[in-house]
Amino acid sequence: MTDTQRYTASEILAILSARQLRDGQVVFAGVGVPLLAATLAQQLRCPGLTILFEGGVVGAFVEPGKLPPSTNDQRCTKRANMVLGSAEVLLLLQRGYVDIGFMGGAQIDQYGNLNSSFIGDPSDPKTRLPGTGGGNDISSLTNMIVAMKHEKRRFVEKVDFITSPGFIRGGTSRGESGLPAGGMFRVITELAVFGFDDKTRRMKVLALNPGITRENVQDNTGFDLVFDEKVAVTEPPTDHELEILRRLDPERLFTA
């Protein structure tokens, strides 16, 4: 068995995402890989991490093997710090209490704009998606981490619709559009870890995952990526990280 066969694409998404989080942060997490990553970080090295749910739960504590299927599930409230209304928890974003927003999307473009609304022509969309929920609020007011599968049809030069703004048109356009704070912080895929160029705000490869080449990443991306002359390689998931992650999701609901 090769090293990359020890874990699934979803497991490396969760583990690499968890490594981006820091103790003491407040994280707005969606269900699935974002919640797994936040809970994994909390259990491994960030006991002071506070997890928020769109449903209103502040300081959620997720028991291993009891992952909530939605952010409104009542098991999210067990041992939580408090439970607010949805509007109140979104107000925490506006007041600057949330450090990291954590979610996925159907499409992402070179400036980190996310689409979770529809695919195709706005007047006659080919596919309708779940929509924004709190996605616009979260991406407008926090530093964002996005975890998603890496496919050319997902990594597009221009999203069909901006559900959740990243750096809009690049450069200073986010601030000029009335969003002075936040922005896209990291994008995590099974191929690499991405940041954004400080000046142009175009997506930039920070580290390749084990066994992945520059050509692998570029060939699966619908726009030209930014590469430094020397690109780091991520540390593969450790046995301990995989053990804790699989204890959190023993039925492999989100990590298969």
Side-chain angles (χ1 to χ4, degrees):
M1 179 184 291
T2 65
D3 195 59
T4 54
Q5 290 175 323
R6 294 171 48 241
Y7 47 83
T8 66
S10 294
E11 285 177 329
I12 197 170
L13 287 184
I15 289 169
L16 293 181
S17 298
R19 292 177 184 174
Q20 307 301 317
L21 302 175
R22 299 292 176 262
D23 200 21
Q25 287 181 325
V26 178
V27 179
F28 209 122
V31 167
V33 169
L35 176 57
L36 271 176
T39 306
L40 180 64
Q42 197 178 56
Q43 296 219 356
L44 285 175
R45 52 182 179 76
C46 301
L49 190 77
T50 299
I51 301 173
L52 267 65
F53 286 155
E54 188 179 338
V57 178
V58 179
F61 177 84
V62 178
E63 292 185 73
K66 296 183 180 180
L67 290 169
S70 82
T71 57
N72 292 310
D73 190 88
Q74 287 303 302
R75 78 189 76 183
C76 302
T77 65
K78 185 175 181 180
R79 293 176 58 184
N81 294 337
M82 65 178 75
V83 181
L84 304 173
S86 295
E88 290 172 299
V89 81
L90 290 174
L91 281 172
L92 296 177
L93 291 165
Q94 296 184 24
R95 293 168 180 157
Y97 290 123
V98 183
D99 300 301
I100 298 289
F102 202 156
M103 58 187 179
Q107 288 182 327
I108 190 168
D109 67 19
Q110 60 186 322
Y111 300 120
N113 301 304
L114 283 172
N115 174 21
S116 56
S117 294
F118 59 80
I119 303 294
D121 187 334
S123 61
D124 186 23
K126 182 170 64 175
T127 305
R128 289 193 179 276
L129 302 169
T132 178
N136 185 283
D137 303 73
I138 297 166
S139 64
S140 295
L141 298 164
T142 66
N143 291 307
M144 286 289 300
I145 297 175
V146 170
M148 60 192 295
K149 297 291 180 67
H150 202 126
E151 299 173 311
K152 203 165 190 174
R153 66 191 179 107
R154 291 176 178 269
F155 282 68
V156 296
E157 188 169 0
K158 185 177 180 181
V159 292
D160 293 340
F161 183 81
I162 298 179
T163 309
S164 305
F167 292 110
I168 317 292
R169 297 174 301 281
T172 58
S173 60
R174 181 179 170 93
E176 292 163 357
S177 299
L179 301 175
M184 194 59 67
F185 174 57
R186 292 287 183 269
V187 177
I188 312 292
T189 79
E190 73 275 23
L191 301 184
V193 175
F194 303 87
F196 290 81
D197 183 79
D198 290 339
K199 186 174 182 180
T200 66
R201 297 303 191 181
R202 286 177 54 211
M203 193 180 293
K204 176 179 179 178
V205 179
L206 299 181
L208 298 169
N209 291 344
I212 302 300
T213 66
R214 295 181 183 221
E215 291 73 23
N216 292 150
V217 178
Q218 186 59 73
D219 289 348
N220 284 281
T221 305
F223 52 85
D224 289 336
L225 292 162
V226 178
F227 289 89
D228 282 335
E229 186 175 339
K230 188 173 182 180
V231 178
V233 177
T234 60
E235 290 293 326
T238 67
D239 290 340
H240 185 52
E241 286 173 323
L242 288 168
E243 178 190 353
I244 300 300
L245 184 62
R246 289 166 183 172
R247 195 183 302 162
L248 289 170
D249 186 16
E251 296 180 4
R252 311 299 286 272
L253 296 176
F254 302 114
T255 56

